[in-house]
């Protein structure tokens, strides 16, 4: 899978994210501190989210200290459903019930072992085929129109 990756800093797990993703067989398109060092969270996380909306990449991972700014910026991009995930259970739910296509990570809260659990759950997950779940996701898309 092609994954855009954005972070506003090289704090916490940010430096190991590229190797974690490449180690899982993904191709990484980096933005912000993990690329050229530009570190505005709003800009780099929106940039990664736009990659997904434009079909340049399949999914994105966006990071900031809290994870909140990263998720807010990504969710401003139409077609993006970004989920701030602090554990594997949340990541599994975000894929299943929200069809989330952008994973937001808090660099403050996420240790390396926790990151691996979150990534495992995120990439193992797939969207629910339940009618009510699909209707909820459709409603989110309709709100963008
Ligand atoms: O969490 C964040 C935004 O939601 C940022 O990572 C945080 O605001 C960065 O702060 P600073 O520029 O002082 O390191």
């Amino acid at each position: 899978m092609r994954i855009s990756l954005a972070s506003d800093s090289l704090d916490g797990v940010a430096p190991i994210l590229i190797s974690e993703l490449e180690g899982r067989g993904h191709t990484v398109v980096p933005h912000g501190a993990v690329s050229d060092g530009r570190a505005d969270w709003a800009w780099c996380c929106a940039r990664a989210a736009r990659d997904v909306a434009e079909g340049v990449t399949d999914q994105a991972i966006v990071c900031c200290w809290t994870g909140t700014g990263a998720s807010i910026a990504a969710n401003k991009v139409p077609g993006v459903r970004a989920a701030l995930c602090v554990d594997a259970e949340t990541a599994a739910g975000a894929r299943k019930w929200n069809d989330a296509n952008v994973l937001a990570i808090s660099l403050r809260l996420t240790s390396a072992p926790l990151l691996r659990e979150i990534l495992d759950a995120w990439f193992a997950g797939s969207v629910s085929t339940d009618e009510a779940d699909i209707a909820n996701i459709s409603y989110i898309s309709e709100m963008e129109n």
Side-chain angles (χ1 to χ4, degrees):
M1 204 182 283
R2 297 162 302 166
I3 309 284
S4 290
L5 172 66
S7 181
D8 68 343
S9 80
L10 290 175
D11 291 332
V13 292
I16 66 166
L17 261 162
I18 290 181
S19 57
E20 285 293 331
L21 291 169
E22 289 180 344
R24 285 171 167 78
H26 302 296
T27 301
V28 179
V29 177
H31 297 287
V34 290
S35 174
D36 57 9
R38 181 168 174 168
D40 298 333
W41 55 265
W43 177 86
C44 69
C45 295
R47 181 60 263 165
R50 274 192 214 108
D51 284 350
V52 177
E54 292 166 4
V56 175
T57 53
D58 304 295
Q59 294 182 354
I61 299 179
V62 294
C63 311
C64 67
W65 186 241
T66 57
T68 54
S71 60
I72 290 167
N75 273 316
K76 291 295 179 190
V77 177
V80 163
R81 292 174 299 280
L84 174 56
C85 296
V86 294
D87 60 17
E89 200 66 25
T90 308
R95 292 288 299 117
K96 181 177 180 183
W97 292 306
N98 312 139
D99 195 18
N101 51 10
V102 174
L103 169 63
I105 292 287
S106 165
L107 297 177
R108 185 180 81 84
L109 292 175
T110 311
S111 65
L114 182 56
L115 173 71
R116 292 184 188 108
E117 290 176 14
I118 291 170
L119 292 178
D120 287 346
W122 177 266
F123 290 118
S126 58
V127 65
S128 166
T129 53
D130 180 272
E131 207 174 300
D133 295 331
I134 293 169
N136 274 294
I137 295 161
S138 297
Y139 185 80
I140 299 293
S141 300
E142 285 162 20
M143 284 198 296
E144 293 176 341
N145 300 324

